[in-house]
Amino acid sequence: MKLNPGLLALSVGAFGIGVTEFAPMGLLPVIAGDLGVSIPTAGLLISAYALGVVIGAPLMTLTTGRVPRRTLLIVLAGIFTIGNLLAAMSTGYGMLMAARILTSFNHGAFFGVGAIVAASLVAPERRAGAVAAMFMGLTIANVVGVPLATWAGDHLGWRASFWGISVLGLATMAALRLTLPVLPAPTGTDPKAELRVLTRGPVLGALGLTVVGASAMFTVFTYITPILREVTQASLGYVTAMLVTYGVGLTVGNWLGGRFADRSVDRTLIVTLALLTAILVGFAVLMPFKVPTAILIFLWGVASFALVPPLQVRVMHAAADAPNLASAMNIGAFNLGNAIGAALGGGVIAAGLGYPMVALAGAGASALGLVAVLISVQRRARAPAPSTISPAVERLRRQMHGDRLRDARRRVGQHDLIVALRDLPRRGRRVEGREQARVDHRRHRLARPR
């Protein structure tokens, strides 16, 4: 799919958000040592960011519904830039935590509104590909941005990474202003009505599927480094190479997911979830061996992010009358799945079940998502086709149909009357002729001689 400038600008913003979200995972030891806190305490910076995404996605979307879309995206990129500048200037743990939470507030709304804008820039049959093009920036961040930020943090200090991300935020603001057309705010938006959309079964089902899919990914990915170090007995260089390999797989999977979701969202989800389940089961068995592990990590990355475009499009379709809020909530659901998956994997490890069981737990989450999609497809196949006509139009159509029936009956009655009136002189003439014949017959009888 040929990228247009607007999609490229949105992808740059997604790249920056991806780096600022995932880079601290590689910087935790450096941050913890510099600020004088433990690594688990420094890890709360990541958890707080995810929580901020979950809260900020609906909050920012609902309070900015009347802001023109291009202006809103630039403002969100500005929040991202300010948050990273504060992180770069942080002198203590509390200030860095506040900066991370502020930065997270732009995350869900940027991806949510950005996905709607990306879909509007292309033809309807290419919308899933446009969404994938935007999310390509997020996947490339895992291949290039995160390792680069980690390297800069190790050699120049962790603040240097946030200074670099801030520059990227400024570049995003300029690119959005120069490439996106003027995009007015949606008309007739009602925050309460949009919130009611989130109570619909199909919307909740689509969001729940995103949570499950993300859980399957992060149950294992959160602990990929200790898995490779302790089970695969890999060197640090091998671990770094596998992280890059996984990022390349994410990029390929994101592209494939968008391409096939344009043909069929449900079929793409079914195939991808089935493959993800099989890959994680294979990873649980083969993780002691380096070559099979390398192949499976690449395929795991492909399957993991091939889910993203169809999941995003599925939510947008389920909440067509409130796409901005639902799309932003889907990003929040992805981060909620991140937290749940990390907790699930941590629980398995804490229970002493071993790292292979972590991969099997991820496979179980993926299989749960597969079952949910199959049930959803079956229910839609059995249900009658929904009417695409609004209730008001349906009532008007029925009223017009009734009026036509009454008009037809009236015309039938008028037709009968016209026929009767037309035939009346003829009937009168027939009656008059019969009476005249009787009179003539009587006269003839009286005139006969007796």
Side-chain angles (χ1 to χ4, degrees), residues 385-391 393:
S387 174
T388 58
I389 302 175
S390 67
V393 174

Side-chain angles (χ1 to χ4, degrees), residues 4-23:
N4 60 40
L7 289 178
L8 184 59
L10 291 170
S11 183
V12 171
F15 176 85
I17 292 175
V19 174
T20 200
E21 180 181 14
F22 295 114

Side-chain angles (χ1 to χ4, degrees), residues 251-317:
T251 305
V252 175
N254 183 70
W255 176 75
L256 290 175
R259 187 178 181 86
F260 287 105
D262 276 330
R263 302 178 184 178
S264 173
V265 171
D266 289 334
R267 192 178 302 117
T268 302
L269 287 173
I270 291 171
V271 172
T272 303
L273 287 168
L275 289 175
L276 181 59
T277 303
I279 289 167
L280 290 177
V281 170
F283 186 49
V285 175
L286 299 174
M287 63 173 59
F289 308 100
K290 291 183 179 180
V291 174
T293 292
I295 297 172
L296 288 172
I297 284 177
F298 173 76
L299 296 177
W300 172 30
V302 173
S304 293
F305 251 54
L307 288 172
V308 173
L311 286 174
Q312 189 76 8
V313 172
R314 186 183 179 92
V315 172
M316 290 162 59
H317 286 172

